[in-house]
Amino acid sequence: MPHSSGGGSHSGGSHSGSHSGSRSGSGSGQSRISKNTYFPGAIRYVYYQNGQPVYFFTNFAVKPDFKDIKYIAKTFFRCLFAIFICFISFSTIKRKAYKLNMNYDTQIQILDEMNVVSDRESLYDSLLRFQDETGITPAILTITDKEWKESYSSLEKYAYDWYVDHFSDEMHWLIVYAADTDLSDDFDDWAWEGMQGDSTDSILKRRERDVFNSELQKSLLQRDKYDVGQAITFAFDELTPIVMDTYIEKDAVLSFVVTSIFAIIFIIAQFGVHPLNKKYRMAKKCPAGYTNQEKCEYCNGLYLAGLHKKCPQCGAPIPLQNQPGTYQPDIQSDPVFKDKEASGKNKASYTYGKNGPTSEDVASKIKNYEEILKASDKDEEDIYYHGL
């Protein structure tokens, strides 16, 4: 749809046009880390600090699992997507304009309802040179203030509707000039507004719009030198020689740098290196039932039984019964399975009997867990945290 390319007035000066869109996304798919609080889709990790285990929950891979084909595939495509975004951002740094294909109604219109264009031929020639250079068809409309103020709150809204009603394409550039015919107070009250089609955005960028808007506003203020038609002619003559220039866009360079930084951080994170906090890189998955804390015989630091062969604090060997493969996880004692509220709901959304979990409840839970594990290619953490 067409949008403002800027405008100005006798009393308010000129303003630049803008064309922006809004994007919104659901927070449910965003990366998240939470200390001690489970949330849907999260996996529990543990790291050690000052001789104590510290838990946290996250929904992204803190440490990569390169044995999982699905994880490798996801990591590859995520990194490829990040690189693609950087490439797209880089391609916008150098501005190179291409003439529009003139396969539409290219008749140049000058509708001077106020009779303020004294040299119509010069204005037409100026507009034609601009069209030959860009493929954009300009249109000029002059009206009285009364015409647009009767039904519209702003000249921009009037210009938008006029564009939509008269042009079926997005390749026109409409300039609307409006003035008050009542000069009893000796003040020449006038305003103007530009409206450009979406297809012109690749050519009429901020730099080009600013050049035109500035020249037109300054010329309209010099009534002893230019009338309205001459002011518009002068503004187009100033823009046409530079409108198709190739140059580096400063805003695009900044955007590329910022995009690249975030892409690098994202890619590094995919390979298990958390760029914001070193402690997360040392974290280890903490499956259901692996929360029993034991004290190291050598350094007195605490560690979680069943997760390590050596003490994470000092590196001393851990007793065999507390090493992976021999340790039996105690799901019943896992804090995640304790009641979350007095209503009896627990953090894993599993409902036990009225008086709390019985031995039969726990046995049934473990049996069901083992059966699902055998029938699935998922790891223990995925099964536990996604609905067990």
Coordinates of all heavy atoms in Angstrom, one line a residue, residues 36-38 335-340 345-350:
N36 N 15.9 -22.7 39.7 CA 15.1 -23.4 40.7 C 13.6 -23.5 40.3 O 12.8 -24.1 41.1 CB 15.2 -22.8 42.0 CG 16.6 -22.8 42.5 OD1 17.4 -23.8 42.3 ND2 17.1 -21.7 43.2
T37 N 13.1 -23.0 39.2 CA 11.7 -23.1 38.9 C 11.5 -23.7 37.5 O 12.0 -23.2 36.5 CB 11.1 -21.6 38.8 OG1 11.4 -21.0 40.1 CG2 9.6 -21.7 38.6
Y38 N 10.8 -24.8 37.5 CA 10.5 -25.5 36.3 C 9.4 -24.8 35.5 O 8.5 -24.2 36.0 CB 10.0 -27.0 36.6 CG 9.5 -27.7 35.4 CD1 10.4 -28.2 34.5 CD2 8.1 -27.8 35.1 CE1 10.0 -28.9 33.4 CE2 7.7 -28.5 34.0 CZ 8.6 -29.0 33.1 OH 8.2 -29.6 32.0
P335 N 12.9 -33.3 44.3 CA 12.1 -32.1 44.6 C 11.1 -31.7 43.5 O 10.1 -31.1 43.8 CB 13.2 -31.0 44.7 CG 14.4 -31.7 45.1 CD 14.4 -33.0 44.4
V336 N 11.4 -32.1 42.3 CA 10.5 -31.7 41.2 C 9.2 -32.5 41.4 O 8.1 -32.1 40.9 CB 11.1 -32.0 39.8 CG1 10.2 -31.8 38.7 CG2 12.4 -31.2 39.6
F337 N 9.2 -33.6 42.1 CA 8.0 -34.4 42.2 C 7.2 -34.1 43.5 O 6.2 -34.6 43.8 CB 8.4 -35.9 42.3 CG 8.6 -36.5 40.9 CD1 9.9 -36.4 40.3 CD2 7.6 -37.1 40.2 CE1 10.1 -36.9 39.1 CE2 7.8 -37.6 38.9 CZ 9.1 -37.5 38.4
K338 N 7.8 -33.1 44.3 CA 7.0 -32.7 45.5 C 5.9 -31.8 45.2 O 5.8 -31.2 44.1 CB 8.0 -32.0 46.5 CG 9.1 -33.0 47.0 CD 9.9 -32.3 48.1 CE 10.9 -33.2 48.7 NZ 11.8 -32.6 49.6
D339 N 5.0 -31.7 46.1 CA 3.8 -30.9 45.8 C 4.2 -29.5 45.5 O 4.9 -28.9 46.3 CB 2.8 -31.0 47.0 CG 2.1 -32.3 47.1 OD1 2.2 -33.1 46.1 OD2 1.5 -32.6 48.1
K340 N 3.6 -28.9 44.5 CA 3.8 -27.5 44.1 C 3.0 -26.6 44.9 O 3.4 -25.5 45.3 CB 3.5 -27.4 42.6 CG 3.9 -26.0 42.1 CD 3.6 -26.0 40.6 CE 4.1 -24.7 39.9 NZ 3.8 -24.7 38.5
K345 N -1.0 -30.6 43.5 CA -0.4 -30.6 42.2 C 1.1 -30.5 42.4 O 1.6 -29.7 43.2 CB -0.9 -29.4 41.3 CG -2.3 -29.6 40.9 CD -2.7 -28.4 40.0 CE -4.2 -28.6 39.6 NZ -4.6 -27.4 38.8
N346 N 1.9 -31.2 41.6 CA 3.4 -31.1 41.7 C 3.9 -30.5 40.4 O 3.2 -30.3 39.5 CB 4.0 -32.5 41.9 CG 3.7 -33.5 40.8 OD1 3.9 -33.2 39.6 ND2 3.1 -34.6 41.2
K347 N 5.2 -30.1 40.5 CA 5.8 -29.4 39.4 C 5.9 -30.1 38.1 O 6.1 -29.5 37.1 CB 7.2 -28.9 39.8 CG 7.2 -27.9 41.0 CD 8.6 -27.4 41.3 CE 8.5 -26.4 42.4 NZ 9.8 -25.9 42.8
A348 N 5.8 -31.4 38.2 CA 5.8 -32.2 36.9 C 4.4 -32.5 36.4 O 4.3 -33.3 35.5 CB 6.6 -33.5 37.2
S349 N 3.4 -31.9 37.0 CA 2.0 -32.1 36.6 C 1.6 -33.5 36.7 O 0.8 -34.0 35.9 CB 1.8 -31.6 35.2 OG 2.1 -30.2 35.1
Y350 N 2.1 -34.2 37.8 CA 1.7 -35.6 38.0 C 0.9 -35.7 39.3 O 1.4 -35.1 40.3 CB 2.9 -36.5 38.1 CG 2.6 -38.0 38.3 CD1 2.2 -38.7 37.2 CD2 2.6 -38.5 39.5 CE1 1.9 -40.1 37.3 CE2 2.3 -39.9 39.7 CZ 1.9 -40.6 38.6 OH 1.6 -42.0 38.8

